[in-house]
Amino acid sequence: MKLNYKIIFHFLGLLILFNGGFMLLSSLMSLVYKDGVTFQLFLAGIVTLIVGVLAMVFTRRHKKEMNKREGYIVVAFGWLIMALSGTLPYMFTESITSFTDAFFETISGYTTTGASILNDIEAVPKGVLFWRSLTHWIGGMGIIVLAIAILPLLGIGGMQLFAAEAPGPSADKLHPRITDTAKRLWLIYFGYTAAETLLLSVAGMSFFDAINHALCTLSTGGFSTKNASVAHWNGEPIIQYIIIFFMFLAGTNFVLSYFAFKGKVQKIIKDEEFKLYFKFITIFTIIAAIIIYFITDVSASSVCHPMVWGEAESAIRHALFQVVAIITTTGFVTADYTMWTPFLVVFFFGLMFLGGSAGSTSGGVKVVRHLILIKNGFLEFKRALHPNAILPVRYNKKAVSGGIVFNVLGFFILYMLSFIIGSLVFSMLGIDFESAIGLAASSLGNVGPALGDFGPVNNYANLPSFGKWWCSFLMLIGRLELFTVLVLFTPFFWRNR
């Protein structure tokens, strides 16, 4: 079957239209704060809108059918098109003059990685900072999911796109129609963002800081409006606790949030992935807090005001914040955890491979995959003793098909191979071992802060140009869970059948 190129370009044009609309929103923020770049942001938005309109007009006569191959192409190239057009606000305002740097910052935004090349974030115009945060928010739930919510207007079914956007083992649906599912997800997403903005404002943040941090928290992104990230508010613990709470929600399957609002609490309590996610955070926080309290001097690794309510509270808060930030791949920091003993450095490096829940805005491997791997591993012991027994892996009391188990195993192998190859490429650029493995793990897991020269208090500005492009590639395949992008590099994908 030949590819329907017209529908692909038509849909890419629609995505570019969305991008242009959000750029105009950034220009409005720039106008409100009179930061001097309103016209440039407005121009970037208009140029983007024109390109999107032209793409849609020239492809308006297309077959309104989309198969799975076309879905994968739209998702993968959609992210690239969004990132390429998303560089315009940086370039037009000259906030970032290098195209490589502008693309890196943009793809880091859309993939919700949060790695930055900006040395002085607070000097950047507010309209540009708002655009930077919006790239997180758009990429968090996925611009593709937003777009399929309006696909009925185009007469196109969106199931193929949803499958490509969320290829994980979980296939939860809130509604039989996929577009209604997307609308419900986005309504919850928007509601959480508005709630966090309000709470942070009441807690003492300015409205501008509050809305930006809410956008970046719910997307599990990690961009901040301050050079010191959330450590800027170390003197105001309530702000950090609010962010912790919403990071936790963002790393939870949004389907469970829907069940919570419908009063179906039992579904949440019985969900195996949620229980393991909660246990991971609890156990890892206790371990980190004990070490911080008895061994580490938090004041030596914190930017400002490390202890407010006592040493014990400070140790628990910093441990909880960093554990949640890394597991959910948000990447906010309250202190330089690479100074918290060698054990904790390796500890937090390991957490970069965990990830949040399936159906959340988190990156990483995802808790449900770890759960299936662990269960299958234990069953292998039983199978060794009882080779003729039928022992299926069970998840939420239901047997998991062998296909899904093989998919999870294949994903994990591919993920580790990508990490190893990623680390080797960085080492070829002359980057030291600790920094190389940190860059690979952080980029692939969409975490943000890494290790060594690219740790929590540093940025990616000094990374060689090729290294930034390699990081961008790892961010993209990590965000789209490997298969969606890597399948495009297989020869059989492009064969007409």
Side-chain angles (χ1 to χ4, degrees):
M1 186 183 294
K2 289 185 177 180
L3 287 170
N4 184 355
Y5 287 103
K6 280 193 174 182
I7 197 174
I8 292 170
F9 283 104
H10 192 79
F11 199 86
L12 293 179
L14 178 62
L15 295 180
I16 295 171
L17 276 179
F18 276 122
N19 234 13
F22 282 114
M23 287 179 197
L24 294 182
L25 187 61
S26 299
S27 70
L28 182 61
M29 181 68 78
S30 174
L31 179 65
V32 170
Y33 284 97
K34 297 181 175 63
D35 61 5
V37 295
T38 304
F39 175 73
Q40 291 92 323
L41 289 172
F42 180 77
L43 183 62
I46 293 298
V47 169
T48 306
L49 285 172
I50 290 172
V51 173
V53 169
L54 289 175
M56 293 192 73
V57 168
F58 284 115
T59 57
R60 64 186 182 279
R61 294 178 180 175
H62 59 270
K63 292 181 180 178
K64 295 180 179 179
E65 294 178 5
M66 182 178 288
N67 61 37
K68 202 164 187 178
R69 281 202 304 165
E70 288 149 2
Y72 281 115
I73 291 171
V74 167
V75 171
F77 283 93
W79 234 266
L80 281 176
I81 290 294
M82 295 289 284
L84 287 169
S85 59
T87 61
L88 295 183
Y90 297 118
M91 302 295 285
F92 281 20
T93 62
E94 297 184 350
S95 299
I96 302 175
T97 53
S98 162
F99 176 72
T100 295
D101 287 349
F103 183 83
F104 179 91
E105 196 79 12
T106 310
I107 197 73
S108 177
Y110 282 118
T111 59
T112 70
T113 305
S116 179
I117 53 85
L118 294 173
N119 288 312
D120 189 0
I121 296 168
E122 294 171 37
V124 176
K126 282 184 166 57
V128 178
L129 287 180
F130 185 65
W131 166 247
R132 185 169 171 259
S133 300
L134 276 177
T135 59
H136 267 344
W137 198 73
I138 298 166
M141 185 62 71
I143 189 68
I144 310 300
V145 179
L146 172 64
I148 64 173
I150 67 163
L151 275 178
L153 299 176
L154 307 176
I156 303 169
M159 179 58 77
Q160 291 85 359
L161 288 182
F162 190 82
E165 167 67 7
S170 177
D172 287 318
K173 301 289 188 296
L174 308 187
H175 196 277
R177 293 178 59 193
I178 195 66
T179 50
D180 288 329
T181 296
K183 288 173 185 176
R184 282 162 171 76
L185 292 175
W186 269 95
L187 184 61
I188 294 169
Y189 191 53
F190 180 84
Y192 280 160
T193 306
E196 186 182 358
T197 301
L198 178 62
L199 289 173
L200 289 175
S201 297
V202 172
M205 270 193 185
S206 68
F207 173 76
F208 180 78
D209 288 333
I211 192 170
N212 276 273
H213 282 84
L215 292 171
C216 298
T217 301
L218 267 302
S219 60
T220 63
F223 281 155
S224 178
T225 54
K226 302 297 181 184
N227 293 327
S229 188
V230 183
H232 182 85
W233 290 278
N234 273 353
E236 300 172 80
I238 189 64
I239 287 176
Q240 295 180 353
Y241 283 119
I242 291 170
I243 293 175
I244 289 170
F245 176 71
F246 282 97
M247 283 195 296
F248 177 82
L249 286 180
T252 305
N253 191 332
F254 273 73
V255 174
L256 297 184
S257 290
Y258 177 79
F259 290 147
F261 290 125
K262 296 288 287 185
K264 299 177 180 179
V265 181
Q266 286 299 317
K267 281 184 172 287
I268 302 171
I269 296 172
K270 293 178 181 179
D271 187 81
E272 289 187 52
E273 183 186 33
F274 177 77
K275 288 190 288 188
L276 187 59
Y277 171 65
F278 185 82
K279 287 175 183 176
F280 275 159
I281 290 175
T282 303
I283 294 168
F284 296 148
T285 297
I286 292 170
I287 293 170
I290 290 171
I291 294 173
I292 292 170
Y293 183 76
F294 288 104
I295 301 175
T296 304
D297 180 10
V298 177
S299 61
S301 59
S302 185
V303 179
C304 50
H305 311 298
M307 297 180 204
V308 179
W309 295 345
E311 291 185 14
E313 182 279 331
S314 180
I316 294 170
R317 172 163 46 90
H318 283 290
L320 178 61
F321 192 100
Q322 291 308 150
V323 166
V324 175
I326 294 178
I327 286 180
T328 63
T329 72
T330 307
F332 282 138
V333 294
T334 58
D336 184 0
Y337 56 77
T338 60
M339 296 177 66
W340 289 352
T341 76
F343 173 82
L344 284 180
V345 174
V346 177
F347 179 79
F348 284 117
F349 172 71
L351 294 187
M352 292 181 186
F353 293 89
L354 194 54
S357 305
S360 71
T361 58
S362 297
V365 176
K366 301 292 192 305
V367 173
V368 67
R369 286 194 178 96
H370 288 286
L371 182 60
I372 290 174
L373 281 172
I374 292 167
K375 286 193 170 192
N376 188 63
F378 277 111
L379 281 177
E380 286 300 325
F381 292 118
K382 289 185 178 180
R383 289 170 185 147
L385 294 172
H386 309 285
N388 297 321
I390 299 174
L391 300 167
V393 176
R394 294 189 177 277
Y395 174 67
N396 285 340
K397 296 183 179 180
K398 295 179 181 178
V400 178
S401 70
I404 290 179
V405 175
F406 287 132
N407 178 282
V408 170
L409 290 169
F411 177 90
F412 189 76
I413 292 169
L414 197 56
Y415 194 94
M416 295 312 296
L417 278 174
S418 300
F419 164 69
I420 293 167
I421 294 170
S423 301
L424 286 172
V425 171
F426 287 125
S427 67
M428 288 170 62
L429 298 175
I431 296 170
D432 66 272
F433 175 75
E434 183 182 0
S435 300
I437 62 172
L439 280 170
S442 180
S443 299
L444 195 60
N446 306 128
V447 178
L451 303 177
D453 295 335
F454 307 96
V457 296
N458 301 313
N459 63 22
Y460 289 58
N462 294 326
L463 191 63
S465 293
F466 182 78
K468 290 171 183 172
W469 286 105
W470 184 243
C471 262
S472 300
F473 174 71
L474 292 178
M475 291 177 199
L476 183 64
I477 66 172
R479 172 65 181 91
L480 298 180
E481 303 206 341
L482 304 183
F483 295 119
T484 306
V485 177
L486 296 181
V487 72
L488 302 181
F489 292 93
T490 58
F492 56 80
F493 180 87
W494 300 99
R495 290 182 194 143
N496 291 323
R497 295 182 294 277

